[in-house]
Amino acid sequence: MSENRVSGAVDKATDSTAFERAARAGHIVSGLVHLLIAFIIIRIAFGSGGNADQSGALGTLGSSPGGKAMLWIAAVAFLAMALWRVAEAIIGPHATEPGNGDSGASGLFDRAKAAGVAVVYFGFAFSAVQFARGSGQSSGKQSSGLSARLMENTAGKAVLVVAGLVIIAIGGYHVYKGVTKNFLDDLKISGGTAITPLGVVGYVAKGAVLIGAGILVIVASINSDPSKATGIDGAVKTLGEAPFGKFLLILAGIGIAAYGLYSFAMARYSRM
């Protein structure tokens, strides 16, 4: 099948209202997951346990009444969002808008970003299915186990350092997007009294946590200590060990909650 035929088929698929609504539901589920992560962070601040990451949120969701059904719904919504991002990687961002394609450097960056987000959402969908089937595992343990295998040789350690730098770069981009309010470009509206501050606080907080997670991956690789490479959960708990850790955790929880609420706004107002 030629490239034009593939693009045409993808463009036609994104004309489906049902497909768009399913993809927008991915924002709703993402918002719920971030709110649950924020709740876990606050609990940790006050001395309770839990995994302050996606796996902890999905596990909490699954243990609630009707949780398994909600996890299956989440998996479908995450999958729809992943497929929508794949479509954007092929035909350009904002697939429902005319003239969305851009062959310049910024267009290539947007397509690459869409492909990266697609991978993340495919991972979310897979995790939701695993928890719905009762076989979900802690993201931190999985990260630690993979890191331990990579740390067995120099090449593996180099891969971890690169991965850490990528995570830091993604976190930095989130902070930049929040501080500059560039996230408003993703919306069909120009912002509002509630949406704009939620986006600013949410993006900055999520970016800061990602930067912390990336730093821990690099430090763990240098020190050959896979127990430290536990992703967002490890970054949050390391933050709690710092001076004024309880206060910092509460701030982090509020920030992640803001991102969750902003995700709900994205479900309604995002440019698709």
Side-chain angles (χ1 to χ4, degrees):
M1 184 179 291
S2 69
E3 182 179 346
N4 287 339
R5 290 180 65 186
V6 170
S7 297
V10 172
D11 193 30
K12 184 176 180 180
T14 55
D15 287 337
S16 168
T17 300
F19 184 17
E20 181 181 345
R21 288 177 177 173
R24 287 184 182 278
H27 286 304
I28 295 175
V29 178
S30 176
L32 177 59
V33 167
H34 281 86
L35 287 178
L36 288 172
I37 292 174
F39 172 71
I40 294 169
I41 292 174
I42 298 297
R43 281 175 52 86
I44 292 172
F46 287 96
S48 297
N51 294 318
D53 55 19
Q54 163 209 336
S55 64
L58 292 176
T60 300
L61 182 61
S63 64
S64 63
K68 287 193 179 295
M70 287 189 286
L71 284 172
W72 284 112
I73 293 171
V76 171
F78 282 145
L79 179 61
M81 177 60 81
L83 293 174
W84 190 274
R85 296 306 186 191
V86 169
E88 290 188 329
I90 295 172
I91 64 176
H94 315 312
T96 61
E97 299 177 2
N100 59 296
D102 184 352
S103 58
S106 91
L108 291 175
F109 174 75
D110 287 337
R111 289 170 190 255
K113 185 172 65 174
V117 174
V119 172
V120 171
Y121 274 98
F122 276 127
F124 285 172
F126 178 76
S127 293
V129 169
Q130 293 295 95
F131 275 94
R133 297 176 59 185
S135 56
Q137 295 181 340
S138 163
S139 298
K141 289 182 179 179
Q142 292 182 57
S143 297
S144 180
L146 176 60
S147 297
R149 290 192 293 273
L150 288 173
M151 287 179 191
E152 293 175 357
N153 56 70
T154 303
K157 289 183 179 181
V159 169
L160 281 176
V161 170
V162 171
L165 291 173
V166 170
I167 294 170
I168 291 171
I170 293 172
Y173 177 72
H174 275 70
V175 173
Y176 166 79
K177 198 168 183 178
V179 171
T180 61
K181 302 181 183 179
N182 276 3
F183 59 85
L184 293 175
D185 293 340
D186 299 329
L187 303 177
K188 294 188 289 185
I189 58 175
S190 59
T193 55
I195 294 176
T196 300
L198 285 175
V200 171
V201 174
Y203 270 103
V204 170
K206 184 171 181 179
V209 171
L210 287 171
I211 290 171
I215 291 173
L216 285 181
V217 170
I218 294 174
V219 171
S221 177
I222 293 173
N223 295 333
S224 298
D225 184 2
S227 66
K228 298 296 183 182
T230 53
I232 292 175
D233 180 60
V236 167
K237 289 174 179 174
T238 299
L239 182 65
E241 296 171 358
F244 306 104
K246 180 176 180 178
F247 175 70
L248 294 174
L249 283 177
I250 292 173
L251 286 181
I254 292 172
I256 297 299
Y259 188 88
L261 294 175
Y262 174 76
S263 296
F264 293 149
M266 283 282 286
R268 174 66 180 85
Y269 296 113
S270 65
R271 297 167 62 196
M272 298 289 283

